[in-house]
Amino acid sequence: MPTLKIDGKEITVKPGMSVLQAAKKLGIEIPHYCYHPALSIAGSCRMCLVEIEGHRKLETACSTMAADGMVVHTDTPAVQKARKDVLEFLLINHPLDCPVCDKAGECYLQDYDYTYGTAHSRFRKEDKRVRPTKELGGNIHYVTNRCIMCTRCVRFYKDVVGDEYLFVENRGYKSEISVFPGKELHTKMDGNITEICPVGALLDKDFIYQARVWHLDHTKSVCPGCSAGCNVDLQTQNNKIYRTRSRQNMEVNEFWICDDGRYLFHKYEDLTRVESPLKRAGDKLNVTSWDEALSIVHDRLALIKKSDGAKFIGAVGSVFASNEENYLLKKIVKDEIGSTNLFVYAPVPEGEDLSFKSGFTIYADKSPNRKGAELIFGKLNTDFWKAIEKGDIKALYVLNADVDFKLTDAQKKSLKKLEFLAVQDFYMSDIAKLAHVVLPGTYFAEKTGTFTNHSGRVQRFSKALQSPGQSKEDWAILVELGKRFNPDWKMASASDVMNDLAENEKAFKGLSYFKLGDQGIQIA
Amino acid sequence: MSELYFLKNRGNPESKTIDFYLAHGGYEALKKTLKSFEPNDVIEEVKKSGLRGRGGAGFPTGLKWSFVPQDNPNPKYLVCNADESEPGTFKDRYIIEHEPHMLIEGMIISSYAIRSHLAYIYIRGEFVQGARILEEALAEAREKGFLGKNILGSGYDLDIYVHRGGGAYICGEETGLLESLEGKRGWPRLKPPFPAVVGLFKSPTIINNVETLANVPLIMERGGDWYSQLGPNPKNAGIKLYCVSGHVNRPGLFEFEMGMNLKELIYEHAGGIYKGHQLKGVIPGGSSTPVLRPDEIDVSMDYDSLAAIGTMFGSAGTIVMDETTCMVDALYNLERFYAHESCGQCTPCREGTMWMVKLLRRLEHGEGTVEDVDLLADIAGNIMGRTICPLGDAAAMPAKSFVQKFRDEFIEHAKQHKCPVKKDKSIKVTDANA
Amino acid sequence: MAVEFSEAAKQEFAEILNHYPTKEAAMLPTLHLAKREFGQISPEVMTYISQLLDLHVTRVANVVSFYTLFPREPEGKYVIQVCSTLSCQLMGAETVVDHIKKKLAIDVGETTPDKKFTLKKVECLGSCGTAPVMQINDDYYEQLTVEKIDKILDSLE
């Protein structure tokens, strides 16, 4: 275990750790462009040069391994000058078009130049290198003139994706990033390069000219696009999501998200939202109040329980619903109504998992919370259709959160056999259209909760947006309904629901939102 | 050494054939080596000889060989660097085209020393003729049992293949060469690890220049002690090919012991300055070595003497410039070369070389200022020592030295807003060298 | 247009593979072979080579665009490369280029309309002692004079 000294502070690190990583552990930031913790070392930007006692020249901190007895200085006049000089070289041909550049505000060229550079240019009379902007395929727009040739993007495809779509074309001063004609980018990982590009060279066309990044609010969330549970940062302004970016979690998605997840938020934008509680009048669904809607649900279920027995009441949880929501549904149906007819909407995954070289995987299971549903409901009983057909169920309460929920004609016919159907959903889904009462819920960005990913990691997502009209967070709807059956229910927040869940469900024992933190906890 | 070694057969078209080579004592050193030397003894003999790398860096050859870890289970490789591209240098091409067996014999002995069974000759792509000659010579050597399995009954196996480059100066840099040999672009690698430990195909690899390897048969034939006596001192030992180009009456290749006086080389052996012109400057060891003024050339051409006056022996590629040479234009030409050959991998070299070109273009065209002269030297300083490979330094050293040694001429360009030198652009081929 | 090596080239390629422990290392020799076969390394040729070497085509494109000897577009039958680095420049390389430009009525980087000659200025050819120098296809021509250039160019069919 080498022990070295960086800027006077001593640290012992694992063998094979670089000076840059060791410094980071000490809280010393060594500026860098080409280095990225998930990529192979290039050592080419020369921004991380540091002074090491006994070495003739400055060394790149990213590629120099920490050694026992090493004495490193990261802020000497020689280091400061080297940084200034590298920045000067990087900026001579840079268009300095920050006012129209999407990267402004999160650009390392901008940030480092403010911190380490000089305000004026000595590249006065020369013409700058000018090259046309290129489309690299998919949503990727390459502003060649802004590129600093750090090659992070090239190494991303080589090291993480495992399919080398990008390459450096030409050499020297004429080097640029290219795709091969006819082999444009079309992997599901492309958007990541817009995140790791340290400058404004690689841009996401989905976001281009949409917003200034410093206006965006950030909300820590979890992607509901598959069972991977990638940690994401929802970036919003004026109650609208502008982009989804990856949020680092070395146990789950490392630094990446797939493009399915990145652009998933658009899918919700296209749906017709249910903005008020609805009640059926013949063929029509009419707007009603929350109070009336919940009363109808409570009263109809209570009536059927009384006339036919609790077992004629069924409920359908969902692998798309949060742990809290499924738990509350179970609590109402099992504890308050006394029925054991708990079903789960859990479509069978189609296709296969898609794994990349780094191990990053897009799961075929497109639901975010199958594991959580299994832990709460036990073995998933998905066949409520048979029970309806046989007349074993007369009233059904359905939680849905699947944007792709579709009903066949036969299923629609089955559902019409029910005496009462209540649907809690955030959009006018096929099943909501058939309901007697529709309770308007919300989608993941509009509420708080937790999902349990494929590996059994419970992770928290937080509310980023206000939901439309009178719609409510689903846990709150269920708590309201629960109170109709049992006024002793005291839960007032999603956090309270988690505490209750942690008390009553073995698998979740001891969990709380505080304990889950930003990165979640492995429970299975 | 009074008789010639490399150039002894100059003008004889037969010299490249194995029959001629054998008839004049060729492959005797190999026979002697395989018969009486263990690999480590060969390394010791070469260490004793004091031979230093003839490619430019001057690293002791035997010491380099001793860095090969023999406990490494991977195969070991010997690579001959025949990517001769340093402006002013044209010595390896002569050996390749006229004495290929000298190189091959040297490579077999050297491979044996480092226990390599596969060696490559990385030859610059433009040397098509040289590659052909080497292929033929290798076929002859194979035919005679000097290559292949169980060479001369010794139990030692070796194959050598010729690998043509694709046109890139940077592939003369050891690790750029290895990348290129592995089928990639010639982007130099970060060091450490050094090639002797992790080189070609991630295995221990020794890379030696053509001239270096071609010295090895001589050392094995006459002994390291004998060889170390040649030249001014044991640290600068042996024989050397000197290249002289530019404004002299008899440009070309010369062979002497190490330590030839630069002034004597130019004025006596190369016939003096073209048409009796005045000498203006000399680049002693290939284009990247700092330039000398006429008053500095009374110097021994060896590693340490040239280093002592602030320049380098390099590849002994001496470029002579007379009074008709504009030093701004000459530097502009060299920096254009380095910008063209910069691999583009690291920032200071990629951006800095082209910036220097732009400044020089402006100065030469009368659009520069006095500040630009200092800026030029400053940029060169900002490249120096900050790059992955030595190309950055190679581009920076001429700029720094030209501005330092010929500052007045640079300033005059700025002050007069034009080039003040009466340049002679005519073709200068005289009967003497035609 | 599907590109494919001739039978002879296929045999040569098979032999090249024997020289290296990895297929990728055969890249440069294969590119030289392809240039001889096809005259250029077009995107189609790069794709073909990527299949021969089991590599992503971008590896081939990355290499091709790095080196100077693999033209991505067709060139003239004779490619004249005049060395213009320092030693050759000192000995009159600019005059050599000017003479050839005038003689062939093309500029540097251009090809004559009959596709016979392409003229290029190149960096050091490593023949500084016999400057000025040019290379036409595989061959070096040294110690050039105007008369010599005329004779050489006129002799090319």
Side-chain angles (χ1 to χ4, degrees):
Chain A
M1 297 279 272
T3 298
L4 67 162
K5 214 181 232 180
I6 305 176
D7 294 346
K9 292 182 216 167
E10 205 166 85
I11 186 171
T12 302
V13 296
K14 277 191 220 146
M17 190 176 258
S18 70
V19 170
L20 189 145
Q21 289 167 317
K24 198 174 176 190
K25 283 191 99 173
L26 282 171
I28 298 167
E29 195 212 352
I30 299 175
H32 57 269
Y33 291 109
C34 65
Y35 169 78
H36 186 283
L39 305 176
S40 51
I41 301 292
S44 61
C45 74
R46 315 308 280 179
M47 190 64 197
C48 71
L49 290 169
V50 294
E51 210 170 303
I52 300 174
E53 286 184 13
H55 288 230
R56 201 165 48 87
K57 298 194 286 190
L58 299 179
E59 304 279 5
T60 43
C62 69
S63 67
T64 305
M65 293 305 126
D68 207 39
M70 198 178 244
V71 181
V72 182
H73 302 284
T74 74
D75 203 24
T76 61
V79 172
Q80 289 165 2
K81 176 156 191 331
R83 286 174 186 164
K84 267 193 183 61
D85 298 340
V86 168
L87 283 165
E88 180 177 48
F89 283 134
L90 288 174
L91 284 164
I92 53 175
N93 282 297
H94 189 277
L96 304 177
D97 55 349
C98 310
V100 295
C101 178
D102 267 303
K103 201 77 175 189
E106 55 181 12
C107 170
Y108 281 90
L109 202 51
Q110 208 175 37
D111 291 355
Y112 285 164
D113 198 43
Y114 274 111
T115 314
Y116 308 107
T118 44
H120 72 283
S121 173
R122 299 189 295 171
F123 190 76
R124 287 185 302 264
K125 299 151 200 156
E126 326 294 350
D127 289 333
K128 291 192 182 212
R129 175 177 50 209
V130 176
R131 290 174 296 184
T133 290
K134 298 194 283 197
E135 300 301 331
L136 300 183
N139 272 343
I140 310 299
H141 187 71
Y142 176 56
V143 185
T144 319
N145 290 335
R146 294 183 193 145
C147 180
I148 60 166
M149 292 307 296
C150 71
T151 70
R152 277 185 182 187
C153 54
V154 175
R155 285 175 287 138
F156 171 77
Y157 282 98
K158 190 162 175 260
D159 301 342
V160 177
V161 177
D163 213 342
E164 299 167 31
Y165 279 89
L166 293 183
F167 70 103
V168 176
E169 189 165 22
N170 305 324
R171 77 177 183 211
Y173 186 75
K174 293 181 176 167
S175 307
E176 61 183 72
I177 305 299
S178 288
V179 287
F180 192 76
K183 294 256 181 185
E184 286 77 17
L185 297 179
H186 69 271
T187 77
K188 283 187 182 289
M189 297 291 275
D190 300 337
N192 289 302
I193 60 174
T194 66
E195 291 196 31
I196 58 172
C197 179
V199 298
L202 292 168
L203 300 174
D204 185 342
K205 283 197 275 183
D206 190 61
F207 178 68
I208 207 164
Y209 306 138
Q210 295 290 305
R212 304 270 30 174
V213 298
W214 56 86
H215 289 145
L216 297 173
D217 293 319
H218 299 256
T219 305
K220 291 177 178 123
S221 188
V222 173
C223 176
C226 82
S227 62
C230 290
N231 291 207
V232 295
D233 174 18
L234 297 179
Q235 302 193 359
T236 55
Q237 189 187 333
N238 299 330
N239 211 40
K240 176 177 147 68
I241 298 178
Y242 276 81
R243 61 178 184 180
T244 306
R245 299 204 119 195
S246 70
R247 185 160 60 84
Q248 185 183 338
N249 187 329
M250 298 312 285
E251 300 301 318
V252 183
N253 52 308
E254 298 193 328
F255 305 89
W256 322 118
I257 56 171
C258 73
D259 286 355
D260 289 347
R262 184 176 301 276
Y263 306 118
L264 184 67
F265 67 97
H266 288 307
K267 213 163 175 176
Y268 299 98
E269 291 168 350
D270 299 338
L271 299 170
T272 307
R273 296 295 297 268
V274 184
E275 298 195 7
S276 320
L278 304 173
K279 64 172 184 184
R280 181 159 300 279
D283 287 346
K284 278 188 171 165
L285 281 166
N286 295 332
V287 170
T288 182
S289 68
W290 272 110
D291 187 51
E292 192 188 358
L294 289 166
S295 292
I296 296 170
V297 175
H298 171 262
D299 296 351
R300 292 291 302 269
L301 295 181
L303 196 66
I304 289 168
K305 179 180 172 182
K306 202 171 162 197
S307 58
D308 302 284
K311 66 173 186 177
F312 285 94
I313 296 169
V316 183
S318 171
V319 291
F320 292 86
S322 70
N323 293 315
E324 290 80 351
E325 292 153 16
N326 282 329
Y327 167 71
L328 289 171
L329 184 72
K330 175 179 163 184
K331 194 175 169 91
I332 293 168
V333 174
K334 210 169 146 227
D335 299 353
E336 309 301 347
I337 297 174
S339 167
T340 53
N341 273 326
L342 283 165
F343 301 93
V344 181
Y345 168 70
V348 178
E350 286 170 27
E352 284 176 7
D353 295 349
L354 180 57
S355 282
F356 298 90
K357 189 178 176 188
S358 70
F360 182 93
T361 301
I362 302 171
Y363 289 85
D365 181 359
K366 296 304 171 196
S367 64
N369 201 24
R370 185 179 302 263
K371 188 86 184 180
E374 283 169 359
L375 292 169
I376 288 166
F377 294 115
K379 192 175 176 298
L380 300 185
N381 184 356
T382 57
D383 203 1
F384 47 95
W385 301 109
K386 205 156 73 188
I388 297 169
E389 275 299 312
K390 282 166 69 183
D392 291 347
I393 289 174
K394 297 191 171 172
L396 194 65
Y397 190 98
V398 176
L399 266 188
N400 179 43
D402 179 7
V403 288
D404 293 321
F405 190 99
K406 291 280 176 298
L407 289 175
T408 62
D409 287 346
Q411 287 170 335
K412 286 179 189 166
K413 225 170 122 191
S414 281
L415 288 169
K416 283 183 182 150
K417 293 189 171 174
L418 291 167
E419 284 180 23
F420 181 67
L421 173 64
V423 173
Q424 182 176 331
D425 211 343
F426 66 90
Y427 73 104
M428 242 328 153
S429 58
D430 274 9
I431 195 160
K433 286 175 194 156
L434 300 174
H436 295 95
V437 173
V438 181
L439 302 167
T442 44
Y443 74 98
F444 81 105
E446 296 168 343
K447 63 188 176 187
T448 295
T450 59
F451 291 135
T452 308
N453 81 348
H454 71 101
S455 75
R457 191 179 191 84
V458 181
Q459 305 186 102
R460 191 175 149 196
F461 56 91
S462 301
K463 179 174 173 166
L465 301 174
Q466 293 300 327
S467 64
Q470 299 182 57
S471 61
K472 286 185 177 180
E473 293 189 52
D474 293 77
W475 64 266
I477 299 169
L478 290 159
V479 167
E480 285 300 313
L481 184 62
K483 282 181 179 167
R484 301 270 164 158
F485 287 97
N486 181 352
D488 289 344
W489 279 34
K490 292 281 183 283
M491 293 168 278
S493 66
S495 172
D496 289 350
V497 179
M498 173 51 77
N499 293 343
D500 202 64
L501 162 66
E503 213 169 283
N504 295 309
E505 294 289 340
K506 214 166 58 203
F508 294 80
K509 197 170 165 50
L511 288 190
S512 69
Y513 279 5
F514 181 76
K515 282 186 190 161
L516 288 175
D518 293 344
Q519 304 268 297
I521 286 177
Q522 202 74 27
I523 60 163
Chain B
M1 188 178 170
S2 53
E3 82 265 42
L4 293 171
Y5 174 67
F6 291 113
L7 301 182
K8 59 179 177 277
N9 303 312
R10 180 132 71 168
N12 186 337
E14 293 301 305
S15 67
K16 63 176 177 285
T17 67
I18 198 162
D19 290 339
F20 183 93
Y21 190 65
L22 286 170
H24 294 81
Y27 289 105
E28 287 302 322
L30 173 65
K31 288 176 192 163
K32 179 179 165 187
T33 304
L34 292 179
K35 206 171 138 193
S36 343
F37 284 78
E38 286 299 314
N40 284 348
D41 300 335
V42 182
I43 297 179
E44 285 312 307
E45 204 60 37
V46 172
K47 272 189 185 168
K48 261 194 271 176
S49 76
L51 177 65
R52 292 170 68 171
R54 301 295 194 234
F59 195 83
T61 306
L63 184 62
K64 194 180 203 180
W65 292 0
S66 69
F67 293 154
V68 173
Q70 287 303 333
D71 54 353
N72 188 315
N74 287 355
K76 282 90 194 158
Y77 295 104
L78 177 78
V79 178
C80 168
N81 186 344
D83 192 56
E84 185 167 63
S85 321
E86 172 82 357
T89 315
F90 47 91
K91 62 194 180 62
D92 296 339
R93 181 172 162 227
Y94 179 87
I95 298 172
I96 290 162
E97 292 186 357
H98 301 280
E99 299 287 355
H101 286 288
M102 206 180 264
L103 171 62
I104 293 166
E105 186 179 5
M107 284 185 74
I108 302 169
I109 297 170
S110 306
S111 300
Y112 174 73
I114 63 162
R115 296 176 167 87
S116 164
H117 299 286
L118 186 52
Y120 295 97
I121 303 172
Y122 185 100
I123 185 168
R124 64 175 295 178
E126 292 85 349
F127 286 175
V128 187
Q129 189 64 17
R132 250 180 234 144
I133 290 169
L134 283 172
E135 295 277 16
E136 282 162 24
L138 286 168
E140 287 178 329
R142 245 172 242 132
E143 163 108 352
K144 299 274 187 201
F146 299 129
L147 282 172
K149 296 269 176 227
N150 191 18
I151 295 168
L152 301 171
S154 65
Y156 174 63
D157 307 333
L158 176 70
D159 260 314
I160 301 177
Y161 296 114
V162 175
H163 185 97
R164 284 178 61 206
Y169 167 75
I170 194 57
C171 294
E173 193 274 344
E174 287 195 346
T175 58
L177 183 154
L178 294 179
E179 287 287 301
S180 181
L181 187 41
E182 287 181 6
K184 301 167 199 156
R185 57 173 37 210
W187 271 10
R189 297 175 183 171
L190 295 165
K191 291 166 281 275
F194 290 93
V197 182
V198 183
L200 188 62
F201 308 118
K202 297 190 169 67
S203 301
T205 303
I206 290 296
I207 302 133
N208 286 138
N209 167 262
V210 171
E211 187 187 353
T212 311
L213 291 166
N215 264 296
V216 172
L218 178 66
I219 291 167
M220 293 312 292
E221 187 194 328
R222 309 256 185 121
D225 285 332
W226 171 84
Y227 189 90
S228 71
Q229 300 303 310
L230 306 173
N233 55 57
K235 283 195 163 172
N236 296 276
I239 53 169
K240 185 72 191 86
L241 285 171
Y242 296 84
C243 318
V244 184
S245 63
H247 295 146
V248 288
N249 285 316
R250 281 196 304 275
L253 196 58
F254 303 89
E255 178 183 343
F256 302 105
E257 286 184 21
M258 289 285 288
M260 165 53 63
N261 181 282
L262 177 55
K263 194 169 184 179
E264 183 187 332
L265 179 69
I266 294 168
Y267 281 94
E268 290 183 24
H269 304 289
I273 309 304
Y274 179 73
K275 280 190 175 167
H277 287 172
Q278 288 295 305
L279 177 65
K280 192 170 199 175
V282 179
I283 297 171
S287 61
S288 58
T289 59
V291 66
L292 298 173
R293 283 189 306 250
D295 60 345
E296 295 175 301
I297 64 165
D298 192 2
V299 59
S300 164
M301 287 196 71
D302 63 69
Y303 300 104
D304 297 333
S305 303
L306 285 163
I309 61 163
T311 183
M312 290 162 74
F313 189 34
S315 56
T318 299
I319 304 172
V320 178
M321 293 169 281
D322 74 9
E323 62 198 292
T324 69
T325 312
C326 165
M327 299 315 263
V328 175
D329 197 35
L331 182 62
Y332 173 35
N333 181 289
L334 287 182
E335 295 305 344
R336 199 193 58 205
F337 170 83
Y338 287 109
H340 183 261
E341 301 301 338
S342 168
C343 81
Q345 188 179 193
C346 62
T347 308
C349 176
R350 179 184 64 240
E351 304 295 336
T353 51
M354 187 48 92
W355 192 0
M356 292 199 290
V357 169
K358 288 183 172 181
L359 275 170
L360 283 159
R361 180 189 293 144
R362 221 148 36 73
L363 274 167
E364 177 61 7
H365 291 162
E367 297 155 18
T369 63
V370 175
E371 296 85 68
D372 287 338
V373 178
D374 295 319
L375 179 57
L376 175 66
D378 195 57
I379 295 166
N382 294 350
I383 300 171
M384 279 285 275
R386 306 263 181 84
T387 54
I388 293 175
C389 85
L391 194 141
D393 289 4
M397 285 188 296
K400 287 188 89 161
S401 67
F402 269 70
V403 171
Q404 188 205 338
K405 303 264 171 86
F406 300 95
R407 189 177 170 82
D408 292 350
E409 192 170 325
F410 280 77
I411 300 288
E412 278 308 301
H413 275 74
K415 283 192 173 161
Q416 294 186 25
H417 298 294
K418 66 176 173 96
C419 174
V421 181
K422 209 168 160 248
K423 282 179 281 194
D424 176 4
K425 292 187 179 179
S426 69
I427 297 178
K428 300 174 193 68
V429 176
T430 60
D431 290 342
N433 62 21
Chain C
M1 181 191 70
V3 293
E4 201 180 341
F5 277 161
S6 63
E7 281 311 310
K10 279 180 186 167
Q11 276 179 24
E12 212 173 311
F13 172 69
E15 173 55 28
I16 288 168
L17 289 182
N18 288 333
H19 295 187
Y20 308 96
T22 69
K23 267 191 164 182
E24 186 168 16
M27 178 81 80
L28 293 192
T30 307
L31 286 170
H32 283 298
L33 185 59
K35 182 182 167 187
R36 216 173 66 205
E37 286 276 298
F38 310 118
Q40 56 169 319
I41 311 293
S42 62
E44 291 76 22
V45 174
M46 291 186 222
T47 302
Y48 178 58
I49 291 174
S50 75
Q51 289 157 357
L52 289 177
L53 299 177
D54 290 332
L55 294 169
H56 200 290
V57 68
T58 54
R59 287 246 181 154
V60 182
N62 169 292
V63 169
V64 168
S65 67
F66 183 79
Y67 297 98
T68 57
L69 297 180
F70 306 119
R72 285 175 270 180
E73 270 152 33
E75 296 182 324
K77 185 178 176 192
Y78 297 102
V79 180
I80 305 166
Q81 305 193 97
V82 183
C83 176
S84 54
T85 311
L86 189 55
S87 297
C88 280
Q89 169 166 295
L90 295 174
M91 301 303 269
E94 277 182 54
T95 309
V96 170
V97 172
D98 288 343
H99 179 71
I100 299 174
K101 273 162 67 172
K102 217 156 70 189
K103 185 175 171 71
L104 300 179
I106 52 171
D107 209 340
V108 174
E110 291 181 352
T111 299
T112 53
D114 61 359
K115 310 271 184 254
K116 190 170 171 187
F117 293 106
T118 297
L119 176 62
K120 289 181 179 177
K121 261 162 85 169
V122 297
E123 297 297 348
C124 189
L125 287 173
S127 195
C128 322
T130 45
V133 174
M134 68 178 174
Q135 181 172 18
I136 301 180
N137 296 354
D138 289 354
D139 300 314
Y140 274 47
Y141 298 89
E142 300 166 52
Q143 291 169 325
L144 296 172
T145 59
V146 166
E147 297 74 34
K148 226 164 154 180
I149 295 165
D150 286 342
K151 221 166 108 187
I152 294 160
L153 296 186
D154 293 344
S155 72
L156 294 171
E157 295 286 307

